[in-house]
């Protein structure tokens, strides 16, 4: 079992609901998985985990949330090499561009994406919740 953290930002609760479903799945295979709002952890602390499951909605114009999450991720990016990473987040009107760009940053930092990312249009529906559960199970194993 790898030391696993789920770290997310959410403005209106959609990505938070996804994070909760990811945690449910992760706990089935790794009871020590920890969940953090991004305000509760620094990049240096996050870098101590082997597996990082990160959640952030599409904000700005197809970017990560710029006030808290982007600064956190920018700092973490330099410490991601060799880590297992999985990504999730909610979006509104776009086509998932923010997630594709985010995935490229993760692989560009020489981290491994351990499973397909999960994106949900606004509030996660039943299918998205199942996908979040499965993401948690796969990434935290
Ligand atoms: C300031 C702002 C910028 C946004 N920019 C985008 C965007 O570029 N593309 C998109 O698909 N959705 C965009 N959205 C919609 C959010 O991604 C969507 O509402 C999402 O469900 C919010 O997740 P949360 O409830 O976890 O905060 C934006 C929302 C806000 C408030």
């Amino acid at each position: 079992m790898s030391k696993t953290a789920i770290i997310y930002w959410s403005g209106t609760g959609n990505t938070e609901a996804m994070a909760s479903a990811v945690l449910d799945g992760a706990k089935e295979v790794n009871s020590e998985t920890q969940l953090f709002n991004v305000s509760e952890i620094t990049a240096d602390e996050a870098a101590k985990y082997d597996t990082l499951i990160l959640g952030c909605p599409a904000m700005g114009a197809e970017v990560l949330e710029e006030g808290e999450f982007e600064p956190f991720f920018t700092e973490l990016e330099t410490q991601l090499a060799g880590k297992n990473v999985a990504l999730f987040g909610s979006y509104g009107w776009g086509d998932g561009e923010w997630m594709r760009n985010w995935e490229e940053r993760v692989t560009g930092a020489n981290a491994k994406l351990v499973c397909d990312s999960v994106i949900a249009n606004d509030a996660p529906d039943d299918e998205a919740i199942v996908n979040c559960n499965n993401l948690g199970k796969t990434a935290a194993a």
Side-chain angles (χ1 to χ4, degrees), residues 9-91:
W9 183 94
S10 183
T12 57
N14 296 331
T15 304
E16 184 171 34
M18 296 175 80
S20 174
V22 171
L23 180 65
D24 288 345
K27 288 250 177 188
E28 284 183 39
V29 296
N30 183 343
S31 60
E32 288 169 24
T33 304
Q34 289 181 278
L35 177 70
F36 300 93
N37 185 293
V38 69
S39 62
E40 298 170 329
I41 187 166
T42 66
D44 286 346
E45 287 164 353
K48 294 182 182 140
Y49 289 80
D50 310 309
T51 299
L52 291 161
I53 308 179
L54 305 175
C56 184
M59 296 294 283
E62 297 298 331
V63 293
L64 298 171
E65 188 275 327
E66 293 169 285
E68 283 184 287
F69 199 90
E70 175 59 46
F72 164 82
F73 186 71
T74 301
E75 207 179 327
L76 182 63
E77 213 168 3
T78 61
Q79 304 175 71
L80 269 188
K83 306 241 176 248
N84 293 325
V85 176
L87 304 177
F88 65 94
S90 175
Y91 68 100

